[in-house]
Amino acid sequence: MARMCGNSDTARLRGAFIAEVLANEPLCRDHWRMVLTLPQFPTTRAGQFVNLQCRPLDDLLGARQVDWPAGGTPRFTQPELTDRETMLRRPFSLAGRRDCDGKVELDVIYRTVGVGTHWMSELKPASSISILGPLGNGFRILPGKPSAVLVGGGVGIPPMLYLAEALTAGGKNIAAFLGARSAELFPLHLLTGGHVSPEGSPAECVAELAEWSVPTAVATDDGSLGFTGLVSEPFERWLDAGKLGADDVVVYSCGPEPMMQAVGDICIERGIECFLAMERHMACGMGTCQSCIVKIRDDSEQGWSFKLCCTDGPVFSAGDVIW
Amino acid sequence: MMADMSDEKTGPDLTVDIAGVPLANPLMTASGTCGYAQEYADFVDLKQLGAFVTKSITLRPRRGNDYPRVVETRAGMLNAIGLANVGLDIFLEEKIPQLRSLALPVFVNIAGTTIADYVAVAEALDEVDVVRGVELNISCPNVKEGGIQFGVDPRQIENITSAVRKACRNNKLIVKLSPNVSDIAVSARAAVEWGAEALSLINTFTAMAIDPETRRAVLSNGTGGLSGPAIRPIAVYMVRRVYTEVARDADVPIIAMGGIQFARDALEFLLAGATGLAVGTSLFVDPACLVKIRDGIGEYLARHGLSRVQDIIGAMED
Ligand SMILES: Cc1cc2nc3c(=O)[nH]c(=O)nc-3n(C[C@H](O)[C@H](O)[C@H](O)COP(=O)(O)OP(=O)(O)OC[C@H]3O[C@@H](n4cnc5c(N)ncnc54)[C@H](O)[C@@H]3O)c2cc1C
Ligand SMILES: Cc1cc2nc3c(=O)[nH]c(=O)nc-3n(C[C@H](O)[C@H](O)[C@H](O)COP(=O)(O)O)c2cc1C
Ligand code: FES
């Protein structure tokens, strides 16, 4: 798939944009892939996220409807009583981007867990959704390190796809370790004829990563796919079996906190640089509400301060995070 | 500058006056939902507003409460940020230059744990050119000391308002009222009597969310402040009550806030008696809503053949 085929306009400033749903398809139990298209969107990096508005566009809610026909019944309730409306936006990592024929396509892979994500899963192609972003700092690609390892779990897997593409473009050797509860909750496609190693050894078996020639190991809690157990175990074994020096490799991880903590600790013990994409409940995503705090080590008197996941992060250096 | 601008080209005149500070239009940010302006630089052209209101500033920096600090509730949210802010010194050094570049009147919201703290911050701000007023936050429900304790007892409102009033030789004094009282007109009367030149209302309602699975409060602080569309009808009522009971006769302008999302919401507050309109929680959804609301008010006035927004302030039919 050609990622760049002709330049699309790049919006200069971040903001709220109206996107059209190009596709919204189930991937596996509770997981969906949504492709959004819009005429322009600012430059993005892997690890950044967008805030989706999980309700009809404001104009449909009568945002500008401040008048009513003389003698008619005022439509007071229209903006108030929308079915299953969420007020705040919902944050989602970018799982991919294509700039093509003067249009931008953005991928989001999401799991239905509550009101907002269920609303999203009912969106039909050609419907509109408001998207705010891009938000956050994104993963840094280090020129001095030829190898990269991706460790993703659950809804931390989507940003790893976008990152795999960026790292490939940067000419890196990449291996991926992905974890899920069970095979039916694994949101990516398996290559037909590909072999998912039960020992958790990376092989080209996951279609979305094989596209970038990234060998991938899969682990599930119940052993229904790949290695049985936590993905950090085969990751650690592979790291120690390999000949990668700490100077050559950088590890990127996104997923449940216990997983990221384990991955971070494994890297810190071995002096390997490691970046984690953190998740926090967010109200704004723009650095104003101060809700999404992460405890980060610093040289202040008490040795740490609160940083904002949405603007200082979501990507932090593993060694800086205080769990 | 304040002359009639209601010719066809410019549309209706949206200018208002807050205690002698002229604003191009009634729209402003609500404290604590807009940082110190720079954060929204990409997302909205803040120069389109009437004024900018900052996050609460305290004498010393505050780290704020532990995580989690917010939770969404039906048509609203609870927050217990705990007045996390950079503190007066960094505010003056780093944030004031940014605010100056907005070329807007700035109202600085101030908070503290003692009256002396409030006075010290107000003193320091009195000489800062872009700052045109201080908004006294005596209504924060999320800190153990200070904040709301000053805002729910008329005698405390008297003490703090009169003390800070003396520190405001150049700046206008705006008092931000708490809705966590049985009659907000009593608070308003005390504030106006002791020197408030404008009133802001409302701050958030003390509220709580409990997770039945863990049987614990969702927020680390236990309680939080409820904001957003859920509180708007109560806020509209409180603005109306303060307007008719106190503000109209005392000629003290009201800056209204509480759940404003759309132009029609803003119009409710104007008709109830508000001169200024602050938007908080809705900025989290789209900071540019401020400009849409401003334009929507203009369209409403034009459609009704009205030339000035000032003509609809308090103009609801009784
Ligand atoms: C930076 C970032 C990137 C994310 N990327 C993805 C992704 O690529 N795919 C994906 O499926 N999910 C992702 N999430 C999690 C996703 O935001 C939540 O699953 C979603 O907000 C749930 O909304 P809801 O209305 O369906 O659930 P509800 O439970 O009804 O939501 C209630 C409130 O809690 C918040 N919330 C609930 N779960 C989470 C969570 N895990 N993290 C943060 N806030 C939460 C919601 O935003 C909302 O404010 C990401 C979260 C963050 C912070
Ligand atoms: C996250 C958050 C932080 C807030 N911080 C402050 C603050 O520091 N000082 C203050 O006076 N009010 C603060 N407020 C209250 C708002 O300024 C406003 O009074 C209230 O939220 C009602 O308006 P809204 O419904 O438009 O948000 C805060 C509100 C929110 C949601
Ligand atoms: S989500 Fe508002 S500051 Fe991060």
Side-chain angles (χ1 to χ4, degrees):
Chain A
M1 203 189 311
R3 297 279 147 163
M4 290 284 286
C5 46
N7 279 335
S8 59
D9 261 357
T10 301
R12 202 171 51 84
L13 293 180
R14 300 178 299 157
F17 300 83
I18 309 265
E20 184 188 320
V21 177
L22 205 60
N24 191 23
E25 292 155 353
L27 289 170
C28 64
R29 203 187 96 201
D30 300 346
H31 287 70
W32 298 69
R33 179 176 124 115
M34 185 184 275
V35 183
L36 299 174
T37 177
L38 59 178
Q40 52 176 19
F41 198 68
T43 317
T44 50
R45 324 164 47 163
Q48 285 190 305
F49 62 100
V50 292
N51 267 358
L52 298 181
Q53 191 170 9
C54 300
R55 66 174 194 225
L57 296 183
D58 288 349
D59 284 349
L60 301 179
L61 290 174
R64 305 175 75 101
Q65 187 124 18
V66 289
D67 205 7
W68 47 84
T73 315
R75 294 159 76 187
F76 279 136
T77 55
Q78 191 184 22
E80 311 272 344
L81 303 180
T82 304
D83 197 22
R84 293 176 305 132
E85 174 181 325
T86 70
M87 182 193 56
L88 298 173
R89 288 172 184 267
R90 299 291 185 263
F92 297 93
S93 309
L94 286 173
R97 173 185 180 138
R98 290 167 299 282
D99 289 74
C100 215
D101 299 333
K103 291 206 167 211
V104 183
E105 282 178 29
L106 301 171
D107 299 339
V108 167
I109 294 177
Y110 62 97
R111 180 172 185 180
T112 49
V113 296
V115 183
T117 45
H118 277 107
W119 183 87
M120 283 165 63
S121 70
E122 283 165 19
L123 274 186
K124 299 277 175 283
S127 47
S128 300
I129 185 167
S130 167
I131 167 172
L132 181 108
L135 304 170
N137 58 359
F139 289 112
R140 271 170 48 213
I141 297 190
L142 305 177
K145 312 234 169 181
S147 297
V149 186
L150 315 180
V151 189
V155 295
I157 293 175
M160 293 298 148
L161 302 181
Y162 193 20
L163 180 60
E165 178 189 348
L167 290 166
T168 305
K172 312 286 184 190
N173 292 316
I174 313 165
F177 291 81
L178 305 179
R181 288 261 189 76
S182 64
E184 55 170 9
L185 289 171
F186 184 67
L188 303 182
H189 298 93
L190 298 177
L191 271 189
T192 33
H195 175 64
V196 183
S197 151
E199 286 79 42
S201 321
E204 281 198 22
C205 60
V206 170
E208 287 84 348
L209 286 162
E211 189 180 345
W212 315 111
S213 309
V214 175
T216 304
V218 180
T220 49
D221 294 355
D222 63 359
S224 49
L225 184 68
F227 178 80
T228 308
L230 302 176
V231 71
S232 49
E233 292 176 36
F235 162 68
E236 182 170 21
R237 252 192 297 115
W238 180 85
L239 213 52
D240 289 341
K243 304 279 172 291
L244 290 175
D247 289 344
D248 297 330
V249 66
V250 51
V251 173
Y252 301 95
S253 184
C254 184
E257 282 206 359
M259 184 201 90
M260 287 197 286
Q261 190 173 357
V263 170
D265 288 347
I266 290 166
C267 293
I268 291 166
E269 276 168 25
R270 291 162 178 77
I272 294 173
E273 189 141 18
C274 176
F275 295 103
L276 309 176
M278 306 285 289
E279 209 177 75
R280 284 289 182 273
H281 282 244
M282 296 180 172
C284 74
M286 294 171 277
T288 59
C289 74
Q290 308 281 317
S291 66
C292 58
I293 44 169
V294 182
K295 240 184 200 181
I296 294 294
R297 250 178 266 286
D298 66 8
D299 46 21
S300 65
E301 236 169 81
Q302 75 274 357
W304 60 272
S305 60
F306 284 135
K307 295 284 180 199
L308 300 178
C309 185
C310 68
T311 43
D312 299 314
V315 179
F316 294 96
S317 188
D320 292 342
V321 177
I322 299 176
W323 299 96
Chain B
M1 273 304 278
M2 295 291 288
D4 189 2
M5 305 200 296
S6 62
D7 65 59
E8 268 153 58
K9 273 203 205 90
T10 54
D13 174 8
L14 294 181
T15 59
V16 292
D17 179 289
I18 301 282
V21 180
L23 310 189
N25 62 70
L27 271 301
M28 49 187 105
T29 51
S31 176
T33 60
C34 50
Y36 309 103
Q38 209 50 41
E39 294 86 343
Y40 282 153
D42 279 5
F43 298 93
V44 57
D45 179 10
L46 290 167
K47 290 192 166 71
Q48 307 285 317
L49 304 188
F52 186 87
V53 183
T54 68
K55 172 79 189 164
S56 285
I57 302 297
T58 52
L59 192 54
R60 313 225 173 284
R62 287 180 59 97
R63 233 172 7 202
N65 294 329
D66 282 335
Y67 184 83
R69 291 178 172 184
V70 294
V71 59
E72 183 167 348
T73 56
R74 216 162 291 161
M77 63 179 279
L78 307 189
N79 87 79
I81 305 299
L83 296 180
N85 80 98
V86 296
L88 178 65
D89 291 347
I90 293 181
F91 177 73
L92 292 174
E93 221 168 279
E94 293 174 14
K95 307 299 178 184
I96 284 289
Q98 295 172 8
L99 290 167
R100 190 172 283 126
S101 69
L102 284 181
L104 283 182
V106 172
F107 299 136
V108 179
N109 184 296
I110 68 173
T113 46
T114 65
I115 291 182
D117 284 359
Y118 279 93
V119 169
V121 178
E123 286 278 1
L125 292 168
D126 207 51
E127 303 297 330
V128 182
D129 51 0
V130 290
V131 178
R132 302 301 306 278
V134 294
E135 183 180 59
L136 203 56
N137 179 2
I138 51 171
S139 40
C140 178
N142 299 324
V143 289
K144 297 261 156 7
E145 305 144 9
I148 204 164
Q149 107 197 7
F150 294 113
V152 291
D153 170 358
R155 278 225 309 285
Q156 291 276 27
I157 295 177
E158 169 189 333
N159 292 341
I160 193 160
T161 307
S162 54
V164 177
R165 182 74 196 83
K166 294 194 198 88
C168 293
R169 290 170 298 274
N170 300 308
N171 283 335
K172 302 298 172 193
L173 177 60
I174 306 162
V175 176
K176 183 163 179 178
L177 303 178
S178 172
N180 298 297
V181 292
S182 48
D183 184 2
I184 197 165
V186 172
S187 308
R189 203 169 288 120
V192 168
E193 186 176 340
W194 296 97
E197 294 163 285
L199 297 170
S200 279
L201 56 146
I202 54 176
N203 209 319
T204 53
F205 286 87
T206 306
M208 184 179 244
I210 298 169
D211 181 345
E213 298 304 322
T214 61
R215 301 189 182 191
R216 289 173 196 274
V218 174
L219 299 177
S220 69
N221 187 53
T223 59
L226 177 63
S227 67
I231 70 171
R232 197 192 72 233
I234 318 180
V236 170
Y237 162 70
M238 289 185 163
V239 167
R240 186 64 185 169
R241 176 152 178 86
V242 167
Y243 181 71
T244 53
E245 295 294 309
V246 181
R248 180 169 51 194
D249 292 340
D251 199 19
V252 167
I254 295 173
I255 300 170
M257 67 212 73
I260 299 176
Q261 277 180 300
F262 306 132
R264 69 167 298 288
D265 309 339
L267 287 162
E268 283 193 76
F269 282 107
L270 288 167
L271 291 165
T275 301
L277 300 164
V279 181
T281 305
S282 292
L283 298 181
F284 300 156
V285 180
D286 183 4
C289 73
L290 283 162
V291 178
K292 291 181 199 154
I293 293 167
R294 182 201 64 180
D295 293 348
I297 294 171
E299 282 166 27
Y300 170 89
L301 294 173
R303 204 166 44 239
H304 287 261
L306 298 165
S307 58
R308 296 165 7 121
V309 72
Q310 293 181 32
D311 294 340
I312 64 165
I313 293 173
M316 71 177 284
E317 308 277 342
D318 274 317

